[in-house]
Amino acid sequence: MSLKQIHESGQAFRWIALSEDEYIAIHEDKWVRVKQEKDHLNFKHASKRELSKVWTAYFDLDRDYSSIRKSYRGLDGYLDEAMDYGEGIRILKQDLLEIIITFIISANNHIPRIKMSIEKISRFAGRRLGEVEGKEILAFPTLEALTRIGDEQWAQVKLGYREAYIRKSLQAIKNKEVDLKKLEKMNTLDAKKELMKLSGVGDKVADCILLYGMGRMDTFPVDVWMKRVMNRHYNVPEDESIRMIRQKGMEVFGETAGIAQQYLFYYERMKGR
C-alpha cells in the first residue's frame, strides 16, 4: 500500500498532503493522519474502534490486492507493467454524496480546479473538524447544508454550467427521486441506471461514483486516459463509444475490472507526465 500512489491516482480530492509520505484523509465527520514508514502505516487521531469501523473500510484493507494482481498476471504485458508501477494503489470507499458532487464537478475539468471548487463548498457549508500544522480540516457538507448554500456563494465556487447540474441533483436526492440508501441494496447495473437520473451524471461519472463511493469493483470508468489505453493496447477503435469501451473492459477484466482500470489509469497518466 502506497499513500503517495493513492493520493496521485485521481480518487480523492480533499486529502491534505503534509509531506510525500504523510497525509490527512477526511471521511464524513472524521479525519485521520496517516504516515508511511517503509511497509508500515502509522495512524494518528483515530481510536481503535474508528480504525476497525471507519478506516479499514475506507482504505479497503480487508481486500487481498496481491491475489487480484496475481489473477491478472500474464493476461497482457501492459497490465503487468501497470500493476508493477502502481502496486500500492487501493480503491478508497468514500462518502457517497461527496463523490456524487465531486465527479459532477470533475466532468471536463482540471484537478486543481476540482479541488478548489470542493474546498470552497466545504468552507461555505461544511463543519470545521480541526487543524493540523496550520491547515484547516473541514467535513464535506451534509445534504441539508448543501441545499442551504445561497446564490452568491454558488457564484463564488465558479462551477459554470455544472452549478445547475449540482443544484438539480441535490434537489432530486433531497426529494428521494434518487434514494441514496436504496442504491446500496441494488446490483451495480441497476444502481448505475438510478444514478444516471441525476443531472450531470452520464456513463463515466456514474461509473466513478459506483467505484469510489460505493466500492463496486465490477465497473470500468472510461475517460480520455482509458480511451487511449484501450485503443493502444486492447484493440478498441479510437472512435468507439464510452459504453462499448466500458463493455470491453468488463469482458477483459471481469468482476474486479475497477481495480485493473485504476492500475491502467494511474500508469498511463503518470507516464504522460
Side-chain angles (χ1 to χ4, degrees):
M1 180 168 167
S2 165
L3 295 174
K4 181 175 184 291
Q5 289 181 352
I6 294 170
H7 181 242
E8 293 173 340
S9 63
Q11 302 179 56
F13 294 88
R14 294 205 309 124
W15 276 29
I16 299 171
L18 300 174
S19 69
E20 198 172 79
D21 57 7
E22 189 169 17
Y23 300 86
I24 290 169
I26 309 163
H27 179 57
E28 296 179 347
D29 61 348
K30 304 214 168 19
W31 63 275
V32 68
R33 183 171 178 168
V34 196
K35 186 172 184 179
Q36 188 109 33
E37 296 174 344
K38 295 184 178 177
D39 54 355
H40 288 77
L41 293 179
N42 185 349
F43 288 84
K44 295 180 181 179
H45 194 267
S47 66
K48 286 183 178 179
R49 186 178 184 281
E50 286 176 356
L51 281 174
S52 172
K53 299 292 184 183
V54 178
W55 300 110
T56 294
Y58 177 84
F59 284 104
D60 204 20
L61 296 181
D62 285 335
R63 194 182 307 274
D64 186 351
Y65 280 72
S66 61
S67 290
I68 292 168
R69 287 196 300 276
K70 188 176 179 181
S71 73
Y72 285 133
R73 187 67 63 184
L75 181 68
D76 70 81
Y78 195 71
L79 179 58
D80 284 350
E81 289 177 28
M83 291 191 299
D84 290 340
Y85 184 82
E87 67 176 356
I89 291 173
R90 284 178 177 266
I91 305 293
L92 303 175
K93 188 175 182 185
Q94 300 170 74
D95 176 64
L96 181 54
L97 180 62
E98 180 174 350
I99 288 297
I100 289 171
I101 303 305
T102 296
F103 279 92
I104 292 175
I105 292 172
S106 76
N108 300 312
N109 213 340
H110 301 292
I111 287 176
R113 288 182 62 188
I114 299 166
K115 286 181 176 179
M116 190 182 300
S117 298
I118 299 164
E119 175 72 18
K120 285 182 179 178
I121 290 170
S122 300
R123 197 164 295 284
F124 287 144
R127 188 162 64 87
R128 190 179 188 276
L129 300 177
E131 184 177 309
V132 172
E133 297 182 9
K135 300 177 189 293
E136 192 175 23
I137 303 168
L138 300 163
F140 190 77
T142 62
L143 176 62
E144 292 72 21
L146 284 167
T147 56
R148 289 197 299 268
I149 295 177
D151 292 346
E152 288 185 13
Q153 288 177 318
W154 279 120
Q156 290 178 54
V157 181
K158 296 180 180 178
L159 294 172
Y161 65 87
R162 302 173 192 86
E163 179 188 326
Y165 290 160
I166 288 171
R167 296 179 78 167
K168 285 178 185 176
S169 291
L170 288 172
Q171 278 305 129
I173 294 167
K174 184 178 180 181
N175 298 338
K176 299 289 178 71
E177 295 165 35
V178 175
D179 192 328
L180 300 190
K181 288 183 179 178
K182 288 182 179 177
L183 287 178
E184 295 287 351
K185 299 173 184 176
M186 296 179 183
N187 64 43
T188 299
L189 186 58
D190 288 342
K192 180 173 182 177
K193 289 177 182 174
E194 199 68 12
L195 284 167
M196 288 178 69
K197 293 178 183 177
L198 295 172
S199 186
V201 177
D203 264 307
K204 182 254 184 179
V205 170
D207 284 332
C208 288
I209 294 167
L210 288 164
L211 186 59
Y212 307 129
M214 297 180 67
R216 301 296 180 90
M217 305 304 169
D218 56 337
T219 191
F220 194 79
V222 177
D223 66 352
V224 292
W225 296 104
M226 290 309 299
K227 279 185 175 181
R228 190 176 302 165
V229 168
M230 297 302 284
N231 168 244
R232 292 178 179 175
H233 303 284
Y234 296 93
N235 300 315
V236 174
E238 284 187 23
D239 59 351
E240 191 60 271
S241 68
I242 286 177
R243 189 165 296 178
M244 292 306 295
I245 297 172
R246 179 190 187 276
Q247 184 176 319
K248 174 74 171 180
M250 292 301 301
E251 288 170 2
V252 173
F253 303 114
E255 292 182 356
T256 52
I259 295 175
Q261 183 271 355
Q262 198 67 29
Y263 291 132
L264 292 166
F265 168 82
Y266 179 69
Y267 186 43
E268 188 74 13
R269 182 166 167 261
M270 297 307 287
K271 277 202 319 175
R273 283 184 170 184

